[in-house]
Coordinates of all heavy atoms in Angstrom, one line a residue:
M1 N 4.2 6.4 11.6 CA 3.7 6.6 10.3 C 3.3 8.1 10.2 O 2.9 8.7 11.1 CB 2.4 5.8 10.0 CG 1.9 5.9 8.7 SD 2.9 4.8 7.6 CE 2.1 5.2 6.0
K2 N 3.6 8.7 9.1 CA 3.3 10.1 8.8 C 1.8 10.3 9.0 O 1.0 9.4 8.7 CB 3.6 10.5 7.4 CG 5.1 10.5 7.2 CD 5.4 10.9 5.7 CE 6.9 10.9 5.5 NZ 7.2 11.1 4.1
D3 N 1.4 11.4 9.5 CA 0.0 11.7 9.7 C -0.7 11.8 8.3 O -0.2 12.6 7.5 CB -0.3 13.0 10.5 CG 0.1 12.9 11.9 OD1 0.1 11.7 12.4 OD2 0.5 13.9 12.5
L4 N -1.7 11.0 8.1 CA -2.5 11.1 6.9 C -3.5 12.1 7.0 O -4.1 12.3 8.1 CB -3.1 9.7 6.5 CG -2.2 8.5 6.4 CD1 -3.0 7.3 6.2 CD2 -1.2 8.7 5.3
N5 N -3.9 12.8 5.9 CA -5.0 13.7 6.0 C -6.3 12.9 5.9 O -6.3 11.7 5.8 CB -4.9 14.8 4.8 CG -5.1 14.2 3.5 OD1 -5.9 13.3 3.2 ND2 -4.3 14.7 2.5
F6 N -7.4 13.6 6.1 CA -8.7 13.0 6.2 C -9.0 12.1 4.9 O -9.4 10.9 5.1 CB -9.8 14.0 6.3 CG -11.2 13.5 6.3 CD1 -11.7 12.8 7.4 CD2 -12.0 13.5 5.1 CE1 -13.0 12.2 7.4 CE2 -13.3 13.0 5.1 CZ -13.8 12.3 6.2
I7 N -8.8 12.6 3.8 CA -9.1 11.8 2.5 C -8.1 10.6 2.4 O -8.6 9.5 2.1 CB -8.9 12.7 1.3 CG1 -9.9 13.9 1.3 CG2 -9.1 11.9 0.0 CD1 -11.4 13.5 1.3
Q8 N -6.8 10.8 2.8 CA -5.9 9.6 2.7 C -6.3 8.6 3.7 O -6.2 7.4 3.4 CB -4.5 10.1 3.0 CG -3.9 10.9 1.9 CD -2.6 11.6 2.3 OE1 -2.4 12.0 3.4 NE2 -1.7 11.6 1.3
K9 N -6.8 8.9 4.9 CA -7.3 8.0 5.9 C -8.5 7.2 5.4 O -8.6 6.0 5.5 CB -7.6 8.7 7.2 CG -6.4 9.1 8.0 CD -6.8 9.8 9.3 CE -5.6 10.4 10.0 NZ -6.0 11.2 11.2
K10 N -9.4 8.0 4.7 CA -10.6 7.4 4.2 C -10.3 6.4 3.1 O -10.8 5.3 3.1 CB -11.5 8.5 3.6 CG -12.9 8.0 3.2 CD -13.7 9.2 2.9 CE -15.1 8.8 2.4 NZ -16.0 9.9 2.1
I11 N -9.3 6.7 2.2 CA -8.9 5.8 1.2 C -8.2 4.6 1.8 O -8.5 3.5 1.3 CB -8.0 6.5 0.2 CG1 -8.7 7.6 -0.6 CG2 -7.3 5.5 -0.8 CD1 -7.9 8.6 -1.3
T12 N -7.4 4.8 2.7 CA -6.7 3.6 3.4 C -7.8 2.7 4.0 O -7.6 1.5 3.8 CB -5.8 4.2 4.5 OG1 -4.8 4.9 3.9 CG2 -5.1 3.0 5.3
N13 N -8.8 3.2 4.7 CA -9.8 2.4 5.2 C -10.6 1.6 4.2 O -11.0 0.4 4.3 CB -10.8 3.2 6.1 CG -10.1 3.7 7.4 OD1 -9.2 3.1 7.8 ND2 -10.6 4.8 7.9
K14 N -10.9 2.3 3.0 CA -11.6 1.7 1.9 C -10.7 0.5 1.3 O -11.3 -0.6 1.0 CB -11.9 2.6 0.8 CG -12.9 3.6 1.1 CD -14.3 3.0 1.2 CE -15.4 4.0 1.4 NZ -16.7 3.3 1.6
I15 N -9.4 0.7 1.2 CA -8.5 -0.4 0.8 C -8.6 -1.6 1.7 O -8.7 -2.7 1.3 CB -7.1 0.1 0.6 CG1 -7.0 1.1 -0.5 CG2 -6.2 -1.1 0.4 CD1 -5.7 1.8 -0.6
C16 N -8.6 -1.3 3.0 CA -8.7 -2.4 4.0 C -10.0 -3.1 4.0 O -10.1 -4.3 4.1 CB -8.4 -1.8 5.4 SG -6.7 -1.2 5.6
E17 N -11.1 -2.3 3.8 CA -12.4 -2.9 3.7 C -12.5 -3.8 2.4 O -13.0 -4.9 2.5 CB -13.5 -1.9 3.5 CG -13.7 -1.1 4.8 CD -14.7 0.1 4.6 OE1 -15.4 0.2 3.6 OE2 -14.7 0.9 5.5
F18 N -11.9 -3.4 1.3 CA -11.8 -4.2 0.1 C -11.1 -5.5 0.3 O -11.5 -6.6 -0.1 CB -11.1 -3.4 -1.0 CG -10.8 -4.3 -2.2 CD1 -11.8 -4.6 -3.1 CD2 -9.6 -4.8 -2.4 CE1 -11.5 -5.4 -4.2 CE2 -9.3 -5.6 -3.5 CZ -10.3 -5.9 -4.4
F19 N -10.0 -5.4 1.1 CA -9.2 -6.6 1.3 C -10.0 -7.7 2.1 O -9.8 -8.9 1.8 CB -7.9 -6.2 2.2 CG -7.0 -7.3 2.4 CD1 -6.0 -7.7 1.4 CD2 -7.0 -8.1 3.5 CE1 -5.2 -8.7 1.6 CE2 -6.1 -9.2 3.7 CZ -5.2 -9.4 2.7
D20 N -10.9 -7.2 3.0 CA -11.7 -8.2 3.8 C -13.0 -8.5 3.1 O -13.7 -9.4 3.5 CB -12.0 -7.6 5.1 CG -10.8 -7.5 6.0 OD1 -9.8 -8.3 5.8 OD2 -10.7 -6.6 6.8
A21 N -13.3 -7.9 2.0 CA -14.6 -8.2 1.3 C -14.4 -9.3 0.3 O -13.3 -9.8 0.0 CB -15.0 -6.9 0.5
D22 N -15.6 -9.8 -0.2 CA -15.6 -10.8 -1.2 C -15.6 -10.3 -2.6 O -16.5 -10.7 -3.4 CB -16.8 -11.8 -0.9 CG -16.8 -13.1 -1.7 OD1 -15.7 -13.5 -2.1 OD2 -17.8 -13.6 -1.9
V23 N -14.7 -9.4 -2.9 CA -14.6 -8.8 -4.2 C -13.3 -9.1 -4.8 O -12.3 -9.2 -4.1 CB -14.8 -7.2 -4.1 CG1 -14.7 -6.6 -5.4 CG2 -16.1 -6.9 -3.3
E24 N -13.3 -9.4 -6.1 CA -12.0 -9.9 -6.7 C -11.2 -8.8 -7.3 O -10.0 -8.9 -7.4 CB -12.3 -10.9 -7.7 CG -12.9 -12.2 -7.1 CD -13.1 -13.3 -8.1 OE1 -12.6 -13.2 -9.2 OE2 -13.8 -14.3 -7.7
K25 N -11.8 -7.7 -7.8 CA -11.0 -6.7 -8.5 C -11.5 -5.3 -8.1 O -12.6 -5.1 -7.8 CB -11.3 -6.8 -10.1 CG -10.7 -8.1 -10.6 CD -10.9 -8.1 -12.1 CE -10.4 -9.4 -12.7 NZ -10.6 -9.5 -14.2
A26 N -10.5 -4.4 -8.1 CA -10.8 -3.0 -7.9 C -9.7 -2.2 -8.5 O -8.6 -2.6 -8.8 CB -10.8 -2.7 -6.4
K27 N -10.1 -0.9 -8.8 CA -9.1 0.0 -9.4 C -9.2 1.3 -8.5 O -10.3 1.6 -8.1 CB -9.4 0.4 -10.8 CG -9.1 -0.7 -11.8 CD -9.3 -0.2 -13.2 CE -9.0 -1.4 -14.1 NZ -9.2 -1.0 -15.6
L28 N -8.1 1.9 -8.3 CA -8.0 3.1 -7.5 C -7.2 4.1 -8.3 O -6.1 3.9 -8.7 CB -7.3 2.8 -6.2 CG -7.1 4.0 -5.2 CD1 -8.5 4.5 -4.8 CD2 -6.3 3.5 -4.0
Y29 N -7.9 5.2 -8.6 CA -7.2 6.3 -9.3 C -7.1 7.5 -8.4 O -8.1 8.0 -7.8 CB -8.1 6.7 -10.5 CG -8.2 5.6 -11.6 CD1 -9.4 4.8 -11.6 CD2 -7.2 5.4 -12.5 CE1 -9.5 3.8 -12.5 CE2 -7.3 4.4 -13.4 CZ -8.5 3.6 -13.4 OH -8.6 2.7 -14.4
L30 N -5.9 8.1 -8.3 CA -5.6 9.2 -7.5 C -4.8 10.2 -8.2 O -3.9 9.8 -9.0 CB -4.9 8.9 -6.1 CG -5.7 7.9 -5.2 CD1 -4.8 7.4 -4.1 CD2 -6.9 8.6 -4.7
P31 N -4.9 11.5 -8.0 CA -4.1 12.5 -8.7 C -2.7 12.5 -8.3 O -2.3 12.0 -7.3 CB -4.8 13.8 -8.3 CG -5.5 13.6 -7.1 CD -5.9 12.1 -7.1
V32 N -1.9 13.0 -9.2 CA -0.4 13.2 -9.0 C -0.2 14.0 -7.7 O -0.9 14.9 -7.5 CB 0.3 13.9 -10.2 CG1 1.7 14.2 -9.9 CG2 0.1 13.0 -11.4
G33 N 0.7 13.5 -6.9 CA 1.1 14.2 -5.7 C 0.2 14.0 -4.5 O 0.2 14.7 -3.5
F34 N -0.8 13.0 -4.6 CA -1.8 12.9 -3.6 C -1.3 12.0 -2.4 O -1.9 11.9 -1.4 CB -3.0 12.3 -4.2 CG -4.3 12.4 -3.4 CD1 -4.8 13.7 -3.3 CD2 -4.8 11.4 -2.6 CE1 -6.0 13.9 -2.5 CE2 -5.9 11.6 -1.8 CZ -6.5 12.8 -1.7
G35 N -0.1 11.3 -2.6 CA 0.4 10.5 -1.5 C 0.0 9.0 -1.7 O -0.2 8.3 -0.7
K36 N 0.0 8.6 -3.0 CA -0.4 7.2 -3.2 C 0.5 6.2 -2.5 O 0.1 5.2 -2.0 CB -0.4 6.9 -4.7 CG -1.6 7.6 -5.4 CD -1.6 7.3 -6.9 CE -0.5 8.1 -7.7 NZ -0.7 9.5 -7.8
S37 N 1.8 6.4 -2.6 CA 2.8 5.5 -1.9 C 2.5 5.4 -0.4 O 2.6 4.3 0.2 CB 4.2 6.0 -2.2 OG 4.5 5.9 -3.6
V38 N 2.3 6.6 0.2 CA 2.0 6.6 1.6 C 0.8 5.9 2.0 O 0.7 5.2 2.9 CB 2.0 8.1 2.2 CG1 1.6 8.1 3.6 CG2 3.4 8.7 2.0
I39 N -0.3 6.1 1.1 CA -1.6 5.4 1.3 C -1.4 3.9 1.2 O -1.9 3.1 2.0 CB -2.6 5.9 0.3 CG1 -3.0 7.3 0.6 CG2 -3.8 5.0 0.3 CD1 -3.8 8.1 -0.4
I40 N -0.6 3.4 0.2 CA -0.4 2.0 0.0 C 0.3 1.4 1.2 O -0.1 0.4 1.7 CB 0.4 1.7 -1.3 CG1 -0.5 2.1 -2.5 CG2 0.9 0.3 -1.4 CD1 0.3 2.1 -3.8
V41 N 1.4 2.0 1.6 CA 2.1 1.5 2.8 C 1.2 1.5 4.1 O 1.2 0.6 4.8 CB 3.4 2.3 3.0 CG1 4.1 1.9 4.3 CG2 4.4 2.1 1.9
S42 N 0.4 2.6 4.2 CA -0.5 2.6 5.4 C -1.5 1.5 5.3 O -1.8 0.9 6.4 CB -1.1 4.0 5.4 OG -2.1 4.1 6.5
A43 N -2.1 1.3 4.2 CA -3.1 0.2 4.0 C -2.4 -1.1 4.3 O -3.0 -2.0 5.0 CB -3.7 0.3 2.6
I44 N -1.2 -1.4 3.8 CA -0.6 -2.7 4.0 C -0.3 -2.9 5.5 O -0.5 -3.9 6.0 CB 0.7 -2.8 3.2 CG1 0.3 -2.9 1.6 CG2 1.6 -4.0 3.6 CD1 1.6 -2.8 0.7
R45 N 0.2 -1.8 6.1 CA 0.5 -1.9 7.5 C -0.8 -2.3 8.3 O -0.8 -3.1 9.2 CB 1.0 -0.6 8.0 CG 1.3 -0.5 9.5 CD 1.8 0.8 9.9 NE 3.3 0.8 9.6 CZ 4.1 1.6 10.1 NH1 3.7 2.5 11.0 NH2 5.4 1.5 9.8
Q46 N -1.9 -1.6 8.0 CA -3.2 -1.9 8.7 C -3.7 -3.3 8.4 O -4.1 -3.9 9.3 CB -4.2 -0.8 8.3 CG -5.5 -0.8 9.1 CD -6.3 0.4 8.8 OE1 -5.8 1.4 8.4 NE2 -7.6 0.2 9.0
I47 N -3.6 -3.7 7.2 CA -4.0 -5.1 6.8 C -3.2 -6.1 7.6 O -3.7 -7.1 8.1 CB -3.9 -5.3 5.3 CG1 -5.0 -4.5 4.6 CG2 -4.1 -6.8 4.9 CD1 -4.8 -4.3 3.1
M48 N -1.9 -5.9 7.6 CA -1.0 -6.9 8.3 C -1.4 -6.9 9.8 O -1.4 -7.9 10.4 CB 0.5 -6.5 8.1 CG 0.9 -6.5 6.6 SD 0.9 -8.2 6.0 CE 2.3 -8.9 6.8
K49 N -1.6 -5.7 10.4 CA -1.9 -5.6 11.8 C -3.2 -6.3 12.1 O -3.3 -7.0 13.1 CB -1.9 -4.1 12.2 CG -2.2 -3.9 13.7 CD -2.3 -2.4 14.0 CE -2.7 -2.2 15.4 NZ -2.9 -0.8 15.7
N50 N -4.2 -6.1 11.3 CA -5.5 -6.7 11.5 C -5.6 -8.2 11.3 O -6.5 -8.8 11.7 CB -6.6 -6.0 10.6 CG -6.8 -4.5 11.0 OD1 -6.4 -4.1 12.0 ND2 -7.4 -3.8 10.1
N51 N -4.6 -8.7 10.6 CA -4.6 -10.1 10.2 C -3.4 -10.9 10.8 O -2.9 -11.9 10.2 CB -4.7 -10.3 8.7 CG -6.0 -9.8 8.2 OD1 -7.0 -10.5 8.3 ND2 -6.0 -8.6 7.7
N52 N -2.9 -10.4 11.9 CA -1.7 -11.1 12.6 C -0.5 -11.3 11.7 O 0.1 -12.4 11.7 CB -2.2 -12.4 13.2 CG -3.2 -12.1 14.3 OD1 -3.1 -11.2 15.1 ND2 -4.2 -13.0 14.4
N53 N -0.3 -10.4 10.8 CA 0.9 -10.5 9.9 C 0.9 -11.7 8.9 O 1.9 -12.1 8.4 CB 2.2 -10.5 10.6 CG 2.4 -9.1 11.3 OD1 1.8 -8.1 11.0 ND2 3.2 -9.1 12.3
E54 N -0.3 -12.3 8.7 CA -0.4 -13.5 7.9 C -0.5 -13.2 6.4 O 0.1 -14.0 5.6 CB -1.7 -14.3 8.3 CG -1.6 -14.9 9.7 CD -0.5 -16.0 9.7 OE1 -0.3 -16.7 8.7 OE2 0.2 -16.1 10.7
P55 N -1.2 -12.2 5.9 CA -1.4 -12.1 4.5 C -0.1 -11.8 3.7 O 0.9 -11.2 4.3 CB -2.3 -10.8 4.3 CG -2.9 -10.6 5.6 CD -1.9 -11.2 6.7
R56 N 0.0 -12.3 2.5 CA 1.1 -12.0 1.6 C 0.5 -11.0 0.6 O -0.5 -11.3 0.0 CB 1.7 -13.2 1.0 CG 2.3 -14.1 2.0 CD 3.0 -15.2 1.3 NE 3.7 -16.0 2.3 CZ 3.9 -17.3 2.3 NH1 3.4 -18.0 1.4 NH2 4.6 -17.9 3.3
I57 N 1.2 -9.9 0.4 CA 0.6 -8.9 -0.4 C 1.7 -8.5 -1.5 O 2.9 -8.3 -1.1 CB 0.3 -7.6 0.4 CG1 -0.8 -7.9 1.4 CG2 -0.1 -6.5 -0.5 CD1 -1.0 -6.8 2.4
A58 N 1.3 -8.4 -2.7 CA 2.2 -8.1 -3.8 C 1.6 -6.7 -4.3 O 0.5 -6.6 -4.6 CB 2.2 -9.1 -4.9
V59 N 2.6 -5.8 -4.5 CA 2.3 -4.5 -5.1 C 3.0 -4.5 -6.4 O 4.2 -4.6 -6.6 CB 2.8 -3.3 -4.2 CG1 2.5 -2.0 -4.9 CG2 2.1 -3.4 -2.9
L60 N 2.2 -4.4 -7.5 CA 2.7 -4.5 -8.8 C 2.5 -3.0 -9.5 O 1.5 -2.4 -9.3 CB 2.0 -5.5 -9.7 CG 1.9 -6.9 -9.1 CD1 1.0 -7.8 -10.0 CD2 3.3 -7.5 -9.0
S61 N 3.5 -2.6 -10.3 CA 3.4 -1.4 -10.9 C 4.0 -1.5 -12.3 O 4.9 -2.3 -12.5 CB 4.1 -0.3 -10.1 OG 4.2 0.9 -10.8
R62 N 3.5 -0.6 -13.2 CA 4.1 -0.6 -14.6 C 5.5 0.0 -14.6 O 6.2 -0.2 -15.5 CB 3.2 0.3 -15.5 CG 2.0 -0.4 -15.9 CD 1.2 0.5 -16.8 NE 2.0 1.5 -17.5 CZ 1.5 2.1 -18.5 NH1 0.4 2.0 -19.0 NH2 2.3 3.0 -19.1
T63 N 5.8 0.9 -13.6 CA 7.0 1.6 -13.7 C 7.9 1.3 -12.5 O 7.5 1.1 -11.4 CB 6.8 3.1 -13.7 OG1 6.2 3.6 -12.5 CG2 5.9 3.5 -14.9
R64 N 9.2 1.4 -12.7 CA 10.2 1.2 -11.7 C 10.2 2.3 -10.7 O 10.4 2.1 -9.5 CB 11.6 1.1 -12.3 CG 12.7 0.9 -11.4 CD 14.1 0.9 -12.1 NE 14.6 -0.3 -12.6 CZ 14.8 -1.5 -12.0 NH1 14.5 -1.5 -10.7 NH2 15.3 -2.5 -12.5
M65 N 9.8 3.5 -11.2 CA 9.8 4.7 -10.2 C 8.8 4.5 -9.1 O 9.0 4.8 -8.0 CB 9.4 5.9 -11.1 CG 9.4 7.2 -10.3 SD 9.0 8.6 -11.2 CE 7.2 8.4 -11.4
I66 N 7.6 4.0 -9.5 CA 6.5 3.8 -8.4 C 7.0 2.7 -7.4 O 6.8 2.9 -6.2 CB 5.2 3.3 -9.1 CG1 4.7 4.4 -10.1 CG2 4.2 3.0 -8.0 CD1 4.4 5.7 -9.4
C67 N 7.6 1.7 -7.9 CA 8.1 0.6 -7.0 C 9.2 1.2 -6.1 O 9.2 1.0 -4.8 CB 8.7 -0.5 -7.8 SG 7.4 -1.5 -8.6
G68 N 10.0 2.1 -6.6 CA 11.0 2.7 -5.8 C 10.5 3.7 -4.8 O 10.9 3.7 -3.6
Q69 N 9.4 4.4 -5.1 CA 8.7 5.3 -4.2 C 8.1 4.5 -3.0 O 8.3 4.8 -1.8 CB 7.6 6.1 -4.8 CG 8.1 7.1 -5.7 CD 7.0 7.8 -6.5 OE1 5.8 7.4 -6.4 NE2 7.3 8.9 -7.2
I70 N 7.5 3.4 -3.3 CA 6.9 2.5 -2.3 C 8.0 1.9 -1.4 O 7.9 1.9 -0.2 CB 6.0 1.4 -2.9 CG1 4.8 2.1 -3.6 CG2 5.6 0.4 -1.8 CD1 4.0 1.2 -4.4
E71 N 9.1 1.5 -2.0 CA 10.2 1.0 -1.2 C 10.7 2.0 -0.3 O 11.0 1.8 0.9 CB 11.3 0.5 -2.2 CG 12.5 -0.1 -1.4 CD 13.6 -0.5 -2.4 OE1 13.7 0.1 -3.5 OE2 14.3 -1.4 -2.0
S72 N 10.9 3.3 -0.8 CA 11.4 4.4 0.1 C 10.5 4.6 1.3 O 11.0 4.8 2.4 CB 11.5 5.7 -0.8 OG 12.5 5.5 -1.7
V73 N 9.2 4.6 1.0 CA 8.2 4.8 2.2 C 8.4 3.7 3.2 O 8.4 4.0 4.4 CB 6.8 5.0 1.6 CG1 5.8 5.1 2.8 CG2 6.7 6.2 0.8
F74 N 8.4 2.5 2.7 CA 8.6 1.3 3.7 C 9.9 1.6 4.5 O 9.9 1.3 5.7 CB 8.8 0.0 2.9 CG 7.4 -0.7 2.8 CD1 6.9 -0.8 1.5 CD2 6.7 -1.2 3.8 CE1 5.7 -1.5 1.3 CE2 5.5 -1.9 3.7 CZ 5.0 -2.0 2.4
M75 N 11.0 1.9 3.9 CA 12.2 2.2 4.6 C 12.2 3.3 5.5 O 12.7 3.2 6.6 CB 13.4 2.4 3.6 CG 13.7 1.2 2.7 SD 14.1 -0.2 3.8 CE 13.7 -1.6 2.7
E76 N 11.5 4.4 5.1 CA 11.4 5.6 6.0 C 10.6 5.2 7.2 O 10.8 5.7 8.3 CB 10.7 6.7 5.3 CG 11.5 7.4 4.2 CD 10.7 8.4 3.4 OE1 9.6 8.8 3.8 OE2 11.2 8.8 2.4
E77 N 9.5 4.4 7.0 CA 8.6 4.1 8.1 C 9.1 2.9 9.0 O 8.5 2.6 10.0 CB 7.2 3.8 7.6 CG 6.6 4.9 6.8 CD 6.5 6.2 7.7 OE1 6.2 6.1 8.9 OE2 6.6 7.3 7.1
E78 N 10.2 2.3 8.6 CA 10.8 1.2 9.3 C 9.7 0.1 9.7 O 9.5 -0.2 10.8 CB 11.5 1.7 10.6 CG 12.7 2.6 10.2 CD 13.3 3.2 11.5 OE1 12.9 2.8 12.6 OE2 14.2 3.9 11.2
C79 N 8.9 -0.3 8.7 CA 7.9 -1.3 9.0 C 8.5 -2.6 9.5 O 9.5 -3.1 9.0 CB 7.1 -1.5 7.7 SG 6.3 -0.1 7.0
N80 N 7.9 -3.1 10.5 CA 8.5 -4.2 11.3 C 8.0 -5.6 10.9 O 8.2 -6.5 11.6 CB 8.4 -4.0 12.8 CG 9.1 -2.8 13.2 OD1 10.1 -2.3 12.6 ND2 8.6 -2.2 14.3
F81 N 7.1 -5.7 9.9 CA 6.5 -7.0 9.6 C 7.1 -7.8 8.5 O 6.5 -8.5 7.8 CB 5.0 -6.8 9.4 CG 4.6 -5.6 8.5 CD1 4.8 -5.6 7.2 CD2 4.0 -4.5 9.1 CE1 4.4 -4.6 6.4 CE2 3.7 -3.4 8.3 CZ 3.8 -3.5 7.0
G82 N 8.4 -7.7 8.4 CA 9.2 -8.5 7.4 C 8.8 -8.4 6.0 O 8.4 -9.3 5.3
V83 N 8.9 -7.2 5.5 CA 8.6 -6.9 4.1 C 9.8 -7.3 3.2 O 10.9 -6.9 3.5 CB 8.3 -5.4 3.9 CG1 8.1 -5.1 2.4 CG2 7.0 -5.0 4.7
A84 N 9.5 -8.1 2.2 CA 10.6 -8.4 1.2 C 10.3 -7.5 0.0 O 9.3 -7.6 -0.6 CB 10.5 -9.8 0.8
L85 N 11.3 -6.7 -0.3 CA 11.1 -5.8 -1.4 C 12.0 -6.2 -2.6 O 13.2 -6.4 -2.5 CB 11.5 -4.3 -1.0 CG 10.7 -3.7 0.1 CD1 11.4 -2.5 0.6 CD2 9.3 -3.4 -0.4
H86 N 11.3 -6.6 -3.7 CA 12.0 -7.0 -4.9 C 11.5 -6.1 -6.0 O 10.3 -6.2 -6.3 CB 11.7 -8.5 -5.2 CG 12.1 -9.4 -4.1 ND1 13.5 -9.7 -3.9 CD2 11.4 -10.0 -3.1 CE1 13.5 -10.5 -2.8 NE2 12.3 -10.7 -2.4
I87 N 12.4 -5.4 -6.6 CA 12.0 -4.6 -7.8 C 12.6 -5.2 -9.0 O 13.8 -5.4 -9.1 CB 12.5 -3.1 -7.6 CG1 11.8 -2.6 -6.4 CG2 12.2 -2.3 -8.8 CD1 12.2 -1.1 -6.1
R88 N 11.8 -5.5 -10.0 CA 12.3 -6.1 -11.2 C 11.7 -5.4 -12.4 O 10.5 -5.0 -12.4 CB 11.9 -7.6 -11.4 CG 12.6 -8.4 -10.4 CD 12.4 -9.9 -10.8 NE 13.1 -10.7 -9.8 CZ 12.8 -11.9 -9.5 NH1 11.9 -12.5 -10.2 NH2 13.4 -12.5 -8.6
D89 N 12.5 -5.1 -13.4 CA 12.0 -4.5 -14.6 C 11.7 -5.6 -15.6 O 12.5 -6.4 -16.0 CB 13.2 -3.6 -15.2 CG 12.6 -2.8 -16.3 OD1 11.5 -2.9 -16.7 OD2 13.4 -1.9 -16.8
L90 N 10.4 -5.7 -15.9 CA 9.9 -6.8 -16.8 C 9.9 -6.5 -18.2 O 9.3 -7.2 -19.0 CB 8.5 -7.3 -16.3 CG 8.5 -7.8 -14.8 CD1 7.1 -8.1 -14.5 CD2 9.4 -9.0 -14.7
T91 N 10.4 -5.3 -18.6 CA 10.3 -4.9 -20.0 C 11.5 -5.4 -20.8 O 12.5 -5.8 -20.3 CB 10.2 -3.3 -20.1 OG1 11.4 -2.8 -19.5 CG2 8.9 -2.9 -19.5

């Protein structure tokens, strides 16, 4: 995995804490170019590792471009936990 900067690591950890918490909803806003796709993939990787690859995680986005970026990061990182990537345009 690419080296995350301090803030990206902190955000990844917060996402993982949220996943294990008893909270139902959260929103995360990050500026353009901050590495959201890398953060999402890093968080998913960490969640899967911490939970013996059991969780099923869906990443939903309003735009095909964001889904494509996340897919690209998964492919670049060669994640080994059986990710099924399905991109559909629902508009």
Side-chain angles (χ1 to χ4, degrees):
M1 187 77 188
K2 294 179 183 176
D3 290 334
L4 301 177
N5 66 38
F6 175 77
I7 299 296
Q8 289 172 322
K9 287 178 187 175
K10 188 173 180 178
I11 293 167
T12 298
N13 291 334
K14 289 288 185 187
I15 292 169
C16 293
E17 288 172 16
F18 169 79
F19 186 83
D20 292 330
D22 191 24
V23 180
E24 293 183 15
K25 294 182 181 180
K27 287 185 181 180
L28 179 63
Y29 296 98
L30 298 171
V32 173
F34 199 75
K36 290 179 283 294
S37 298
V38 173
I39 291 169
I40 290 168
V41 171
S42 178
I44 291 172
R45 177 180 280 198
Q46 190 170 331
I47 290 165
M48 297 295 285
K49 181 179 175 186
N50 293 345
N51 293 281
N52 297 321
N53 295 339
E54 290 296 322
R56 293 188 175 145
I57 299 170
V59 177
L60 306 174
S61 172
R62 284 181 26 165
T63 66
R64 181 183 272 300
M65 183 182 72
I66 299 297
C67 290
Q69 287 175 354
I70 293 169
E71 180 181 30
S72 294
V73 174
F74 269 112
M75 294 300 154
E76 287 173 15
E77 299 301 328
E78 298 175 2
C79 296
N80 297 335
F81 42 75
V83 174
L85 298 169
H86 299 286
I87 298 177
R88 289 195 186 156
D89 192 353
L90 300 177
T91 57

